[in-house]
Structure formats: structure tokens, C-alpha cells
Amino acid sequence: MSPRSASVNEELRRRSRERLLQAAVELVDEHGFEATTLADIADRAGSARGLVSYYFPGKRQLVQSAVHRLMHRTLEEALEREPRTEDGRERLARAIDAILGLARDRPVLMRQHMAGLLQAEGFVQCPEQRRLSELLSETVARYGSEDVTADYPLLRALLMGAVFAALVPGVPMPVPVLRAELFERYGLDRELGAPPGSDADAEGCRAHDLSRFFATEERGE
């Protein structure tokens, strides 16, 4: 049997990493961070335990990358939802609603994500985190920012603060209230984006299958 080509090996590695990300986000969503082990994740992904360590230094880094993947794919989906638009105000509204929607619909995952960011290692610099940064930066630019390098970190901080406020145990703030504050901050009409109770919001709430965010099959491009 002839050895596999470099491109085939690269594709196999990509699929293995994708399966680990999907398994991590599913298991933490189902059972929480502490109750999920690396062995559990490897078993769910159909991978050897040692393969997890090949791609990720530890469980926290793996889970943070998985949640960043969920966040950037959720954001991509919202930004490209029909009717597609290049209007910066609509795209910013969609971005805000997408991230707040995750706090509402995936509280276990997002609470763990916020807790992980407060650890010593902070943000994990991974492809998933970089893609999320790119999408938010592009959104700020299309909104009309004249200084994206300053305005992007501010948007990121405001979104993180809103997610944290929505997830504080015992005293969570309602997502609609947080949405209204962010929309006022950016001068957005409340009808933009996916207002709570709208068809677009209902569609997002029904989309519980996470597999669409993790491409484990061969891609066409």
C-alpha cells in the first residue's frame, strides 16, 4: 500500500481535531466542565486519548477552543442569514443577538467559557479565537468605525460583560434588558437583528444540533 499523501494526512488531522471540538462542546453542554474528562471527550470523538494531547495542552484549552468555534460559527450563521445584507447596523445587531442568544440558549457552555477566561492563561490563541476576532472586527468596520483597533476590543468587552451579567448565578440580568442597553449604546433600532420572539430568534432557539458547526466531512472548497 502506498503511503498517504501530505494533503490526505492533513485532511485526516483536520477531521480528528474537528471531532474532538464537537465532542468537547457536546459533553460540557450535557454534563458540565468538571464532570467531563478528556477520556470522555476522546471516546465521544472516537479518538485515542493521546490524540487529545497532540492537539491541545489540556481540557481547559480544548473546551475554550470548542466554545470559540461555537461562537464564531453561530456569528457567521447570523451574519449570513437570509435576507443577506451589507448594512453595517443590521450586521452589528445580528452579532449582538447571536452572542446574547448563546448566553440564553447555552448557559452551561457559556458560563464555563467565562470562568475559563478568568484563569491565568486567559484567551487561548487558536484558529477558532482568531476567526471570532476577525468576524467581530469586520462587523465593527462595516458599522462605520474609523478606528477598528480601538472599537473592536470595546465591542468584545461589552459583549463579554453582557454575557457575564446574563449568567451570574442567583442574580442574572434578563437578556432583553442587556440587548436594549447594547442597542442603545450603538444607536440601533430594536427591530434590527433577531429581536426576542421574532421568527429569526425562534429559528435560532430551535437549532439545538451542534454538529452543523463542526465540519468532519470532506469540504468542497
Side-chain angles (χ1 to χ4, degrees):
M1 180 181 296
S2 59
R4 291 194 298 256
S5 67
S7 61
V8 170
N9 285 331
E10 178 63 26
E11 178 65 14
L12 291 173
R13 285 192 291 268
R14 183 190 67 81
R15 293 190 196 184
S16 294
R17 188 175 185 276
E18 293 276 334
R19 284 194 292 269
L20 289 170
L21 290 170
Q22 181 178 345
V25 83
E26 288 176 348
L27 286 167
V28 173
D29 195 40
E30 294 167 11
H31 306 294
F33 181 80
E34 297 299 333
T36 298
T37 68
L38 286 175
D40 294 332
I41 294 171
D43 288 344
R44 175 71 68 91
S47 301
R49 169 64 178 81
L51 194 60
V52 182
S53 300
Y54 175 79
Y55 291 112
F56 303 97
K59 183 173 72 169
R60 191 172 299 281
Q61 291 84 353
L62 166 54
V63 171
Q64 192 175 136
S65 291
V67 176
H68 275 138
R69 163 59 66 86
L70 176 63
M71 292 174 72
H72 90 63
R73 290 301 303 274
T74 298
L75 183 53
E76 282 177 335
E77 193 172 78
L79 292 174
E80 299 308 313
R81 185 181 68 241
E82 296 294 342
R84 296 181 65 179
T85 180
E86 299 301 316
D87 180 77
R89 291 164 56 81
E90 169 64 21
R91 292 179 71 86
L92 179 56
R94 290 186 184 189
I96 292 170
D97 283 336
I99 301 303
L100 289 181
L102 284 172
R104 178 194 61 197
D105 301 332
R106 305 285 181 185
V108 174
L109 277 171
M110 296 305 291
R111 188 175 290 117
Q112 172 51 48
H113 183 64
M114 298 303 295
L117 295 180
L118 297 176
Q119 301 298 312
E121 62 267 26
F123 273 116
V124 172
Q125 298 298 315
C126 61
E128 289 74 27
Q129 188 275 329
R130 288 192 291 272
R131 181 56 181 153
L132 178 62
S133 174
E134 289 169 1
L135 285 169
L136 288 175
S137 294
E138 290 168 5
T139 299
V140 169
R142 293 194 184 191
Y143 172 71
S145 170
E146 297 180 356
D147 187 359
V148 174
T149 59
D151 292 338
Y152 154 65
L154 178 58
L155 173 62
R156 182 183 63 196
L158 290 170
L159 289 172
M160 289 173 60
V163 170
F164 180 84
L167 297 175
V168 176
V171 287
M173 288 192 66
V175 167
V177 172
L178 295 166
R179 179 184 194 266
E181 288 293 323
L182 286 170
F183 272 45
E184 182 177 357
R185 166 68 175 76
Y186 286 101
L188 303 174
D189 297 332
R190 63 181 182 179
E191 293 80 11
L192 296 175
S198 67
D199 290 342
D201 177 63
E203 181 180 350
C205 292
R206 287 193 298 267
H208 292 296
D209 180 15
L210 296 172
S211 64
R212 71 190 191 282
F213 292 142
F214 299 88
T216 56
E217 300 303 323
E218 186 173 358
R219 294 172 295 185
E221 69 269 23

